[in-house]
Amino acid sequence: MDLHSIRQQFPALQQQVNDHPLIYLDNAATSQKPEVVIKAVEQFYRYQNANVHRGAHLLSERATSAFESSRTTVQQFINAASEQEIIWTRGTTEGINLIAQSYARPQLQPGDEILLTELEHHANIVPWQIVAEQTGAVIRVVPINDNGDLNLQRFSELLNDKTRIVSLTHTSNALGTINPVAGLVRQAKTAGAVVVIDGAQAVPHLEIDVQRLGCDFYLFSGHKLFAPTGIGVLYGRMALLETMPPWQGGGEMIKRVSFSGTTYNDLPFKFEAGTPNISGALGLAEAIRFLTALDRKTLAQHERALMSKAIELCSAIPGFNRIGSPTACASILSFQLSSHHQQDIGLLLDQQGIALRTGHHCAMPLMERLGLPGTVRASFCFYNTLEEVERFAQALEQISQSRSFAVAETVSEQSIFNDSPFGREIRDSDIIALLTSLKSWNDRYREIMQLGKQLPAFTSSMKSEQYRISGCESDAWLQVSRDDKGALWFAADSDARIIRGLIALVLAALNGRQPEAILAFDIEDYFARLNLIRHLSPSRGNGLKAIIEAVKKCAREASGQSSDAERD
């Protein structure tokens, strides 16, 4: 495999991030796109842009031909029996919702059972919860073993004559577990259940043959398969698809409409209401052609080598703890460092140009089963190199060897407000002057961490649900006190040092003010002057918003005001 040549075809991999060559290890969230896919989308809008199927001109004919040819490409890629079994969706999530509402909802009766597993992404949980509430069906959950494997014995035991639907992931996005789906499908079919497979994580790495698997539905998303976002595929057995009513109404999914009634279109158009994502379908077909032109067995061997090297190097790092060690595992390494919070690890690695994911990975029930708030996840792809794995492990070791985050002394609940320097010794004007004088993000980051260290630590009794800040990915807590002049004083704590630093910035700006002044304070301008927002990931940005909203809620309550949401 000419890895250098392959990497050259991915423009995003050629850039630098924070003055370091990008090491992209967030492939389980979304993959990078090769030049041929980017050009396919561009060429459509340059030379073929028209709506499909009903146009009476040359551009529409070209667009329709390319669009339906893309469907054929997908059908051959997963070995579906017919092009009519390929339904375009926005992604795996929409496909599961379609199945839940169009197939399951008319079929299920009170007491019927839907079998899921502890490994599922939220997209394969919530739609089934909704349809269970609508029909009176019951959800059963197959547990996992401690190593992350599905408990096959419990799967067999939970299957019964009430099981109507089995819906499970082919490959776990959080632990990398590859389920033995062919055998599970056979068991489920013997029990008379319909089987839905979430293949979002599997399709980029495994060769899929839906006829050999024997499943009833198989779903995947284009953006994890080197294709554009907003395009996905629902494969369904024709016999089932033909019995299912449309999920959405509109153009294209009809043959004839009158006010007295509507005749629906044939497959697959019955499920494709409205103008589809034409360029996305063309990009997905191009991504499939790009992938299948490569030796997929060699790609798989390389990904296994990347994973093996990562496990070998990271396991020698003090405090490294791999989460899950499945028997069959995709190139997904989920872990924690005992010395650092996951959010801090993600930020520190990002400073060195290493992109990966932290958090619950849209698998909160799995995290609850593991007793964890979340993990750090490095997910590898064939365009990653062994040198990148080594650099990642070196950066992780440096983080591990750095001093664990020390905070101010834990104080009592009675004295925590008096002992806080924020609002007394440290004010927002001081912070603006300090941080704006620092030119690099690394210098600013270090100063923010120093500010966070000065926050007094909460006692365990103060870290209760009563004081928890909702909407913050890390654990964070907030308390408020009002002095005899009516001013509000806040104390807060978090288990992530970047969040502690952001809390310190907020407290410096708002502590000791009257409720009305807090509500009138332009916090967005404050952070804009600090030039911080562009350096925050979406999760940390959302955490900052949650902290600010918690403070303002206290101010509204103190002033007798209420938010729009509270009034509603």
Side-chain angles (χ1 to χ4, degrees):
M1 184 176 69
D2 186 351
L3 183 55
H4 176 75
S5 175
I6 290 175
R7 286 178 60 84
Q8 290 300 308
Q9 297 181 64
F10 290 83
L13 299 181
Q14 314 310 316
Q15 64 185 302
Q16 291 208 334
V17 172
N18 293 325
D19 299 322
H20 294 274
L22 171 65
I23 297 178
Y24 187 77
L25 304 180
D26 196 19
N27 296 287
T30 195
S31 61
Q32 295 302 330
K33 319 306 175 193
E35 189 69 44
V36 290
V37 170
I38 297 169
K39 285 184 176 179
V41 174
E42 178 189 9
Q43 291 292 98
F44 169 76
Y45 285 115
R46 283 187 181 276
Y47 304 114
Q48 299 171 280
N49 184 38
N51 217 324
V52 292
H53 296 139
R54 296 186 181 276
H57 53 85
L58 179 61
L59 288 187
S60 181
E61 291 178 11
R62 288 176 177 171
T64 301
S65 175
F67 183 68
E68 290 305 322
S69 176
S70 298
R71 197 189 304 270
T72 302
T73 299
V74 172
Q75 176 242 326
Q76 295 171 347
F77 179 60
I78 61 173
N79 194 32
S82 168
E83 297 164 11
Q84 294 176 289
E85 296 179 323
I86 304 301
I87 312 298
W88 297 118
T89 66
R90 288 182 300 161
T92 304
T93 299
E94 184 176 56
I96 295 174
N97 277 275
L98 191 161
I99 296 167
Q101 291 300 314
S102 182
Y103 173 76
R105 187 176 181 181
Q107 299 285 337
L108 293 175
Q109 302 293 325
D112 287 346
E113 294 185 0
I114 303 166
L115 194 59
L116 308 178
T117 83
E118 286 185 328
L119 292 169
E120 303 311 316
H121 188 282
H122 295 165
N124 201 28
I125 299 174
V126 179
W128 300 114
Q129 291 176 328
I130 292 172
V131 82
E133 291 174 359
Q134 293 167 335
T135 63
V138 178
I139 292 176
R140 303 294 185 198
V141 182
V142 182
I144 60 170
N145 299 324
D146 290 340
N147 72 335
D149 282 346
L150 193 65
N151 188 322
L152 300 181
Q153 180 178 340
R154 289 295 294 142
F155 179 87
S156 300
E157 292 170 351
L158 285 167
L159 273 175
N160 63 74
D161 57 7
K162 294 182 180 180
T163 307
R164 298 290 176 263
I165 294 170
V166 174
S167 190
L168 75 160
T169 185
H170 195 157
T171 299
S172 165
N173 74 305
L175 301 182
T177 306
I178 301 175
N179 282 320
V181 290
L184 298 176
V185 168
R186 285 194 296 272
Q187 287 188 62
K189 300 297 285 183
T190 300
V194 165
V195 184
V196 182
I197 304 294
D198 171 0
Q201 294 295 333
V203 169
H205 307 284
L206 305 175
E207 296 186 62
I208 306 301
D209 184 330
V210 293
Q211 293 190 73
R212 188 171 62 185
L213 287 177
C215 57
D216 297 290
F217 299 99
Y218 196 98
L219 309 106
F220 63 93
S221 301
H223 72 96
K224 300 181 191 296
L225 188 65
F226 319 105
T229 57
I231 188 69
V233 170
L234 184 164
Y235 156 79
R237 284 198 303 112
M238 191 179 301
L240 292 179
L241 293 175
E242 287 177 336
T243 66
M244 293 162 54
W247 184 45
Q248 295 177 322
E252 191 57 42
M253 49 75 64
I254 53 87
K255 284 184 176 179
R256 185 178 183 278
V257 174
S258 71
F259 284 111
S260 61
T262 294
T263 304
Y264 300 131
N265 210 340
D266 298 326
L267 291 174
F269 311 114
K270 179 172 67 171
F271 297 107
E272 295 178 356
T275 299
N277 183 355
I278 305 168
S279 65
L282 271 58
L284 175 54
E286 196 61 50
I288 289 172
R289 286 190 285 270
F290 171 84
L291 182 62
T292 54
L294 302 172
D295 184 340
R296 297 199 69 185
K297 288 185 171 57
T298 301
L299 300 185
Q301 290 172 359
H302 178 62
E303 289 180 352
R304 287 195 294 271
L306 294 171
M307 183 69 171
S308 178
K309 176 61 72 172
I311 293 171
E312 174 193 342
L313 295 176
C314 292
S315 296
I317 296 173
F320 176 86
N321 179 31
R322 183 185 175 192
I323 307 302
S325 55
T327 304
C329 187
S331 52
I332 293 175
L333 180 60
S334 213
F335 67 92
Q336 290 185 326
L337 279 185
S338 60
S339 58
H340 291 73
H341 189 274
Q342 64 208 26
Q343 283 206 19
D344 297 322
I345 296 169
L347 186 144
L348 291 166
L349 290 173
D350 182 54
Q351 288 180 298
Q352 300 186 56
I354 301 172
L356 43 62
R357 188 146 299 240
T358 66
H360 52 64
H361 316 301
C362 291
M364 293 176 74
L366 174 60
M367 294 299 133
E368 184 178 353
R369 156 65 175 84
L370 297 170
L372 302 172
T375 70
V376 185
R377 185 187 70 189
S379 48
F380 307 99
C381 180
F382 59 77
Y383 49 56
N384 291 124
T385 68
L386 288 171
E387 290 75 16
E388 287 181 327
V389 171
E390 290 169 357
R391 278 190 52 206
F392 158 65
Q394 290 167 2
L396 200 61
E397 185 171 20
Q398 290 173 3
I399 294 170
S400 173
Q401 291 177 348
S402 65
R403 288 189 305 161
S404 59
F405 182 53
V407 298
E409 182 181 354
T410 300
V411 297
S412 67
E413 189 166 351
Q414 290 73 27
S415 62
I416 195 164
F417 297 99
N418 297 329
D419 292 352
S420 175
F422 297 96
R424 293 182 172 86
E425 294 92 344
I426 302 175
R427 297 294 300 180
D428 57 306
S429 56
D430 302 324
I431 288 177
I432 290 174
L434 172 63
L435 294 186
T436 53
S437 69
L438 303 174
K439 300 305 179 184
S440 76
W441 160 242
N442 285 344
D443 290 340
R444 290 180 183 180
Y445 168 77
R446 282 192 291 269
E447 196 59 47
I448 292 170
M449 296 304 98
Q450 290 299 323
L451 291 169
K453 285 183 179 181
Q454 297 181 54
L455 285 177
F458 278 21
T459 63
S460 57
S461 64
M462 296 166 67
K463 294 180 178 180
S464 65
E465 288 300 318
Q466 177 184 356
Y467 303 119
R468 186 181 297 276
I469 299 175
S470 61
C472 194
E473 187 172 295
S474 62
D475 287 330
W477 305 268
L478 177 75
Q479 290 198 31
V480 61
S481 176
R482 195 167 191 177
D483 64 22
D484 54 8
K485 296 180 180 179
L488 298 183
W489 294 90
F490 299 92
D493 196 2
S494 175
D495 58 355
R497 55 179 171 175
I498 181 59
I499 298 300
R500 285 181 65 89
L502 295 175
I503 287 171
L505 299 181
V506 172
L507 298 192
L510 301 180
N511 248 350
R513 296 178 182 266
Q514 295 292 326
E516 294 76 13
I518 292 173
L519 294 172
F521 187 85
D522 192 341
I523 197 76
E524 291 185 4
D525 177 69
Y526 172 53
F527 276 93
R529 284 185 287 159
L530 293 174
N531 195 23
L532 292 178
I533 297 299
R534 70 186 184 92
H535 295 293
L536 297 178
S537 69
S539 62
R540 285 185 284 271
N542 291 336
L544 175 60
K545 292 177 183 176
I547 294 163
I548 295 169
E549 178 53 35
V551 170
K552 288 192 171 183
K553 181 180 179 183
C554 293
R556 285 193 297 269
E557 292 173 350
S559 65
Q561 299 182 30
S562 59
S563 66
D564 292 340
E566 289 165 339
R567 284 194 295 271
D568 293 341

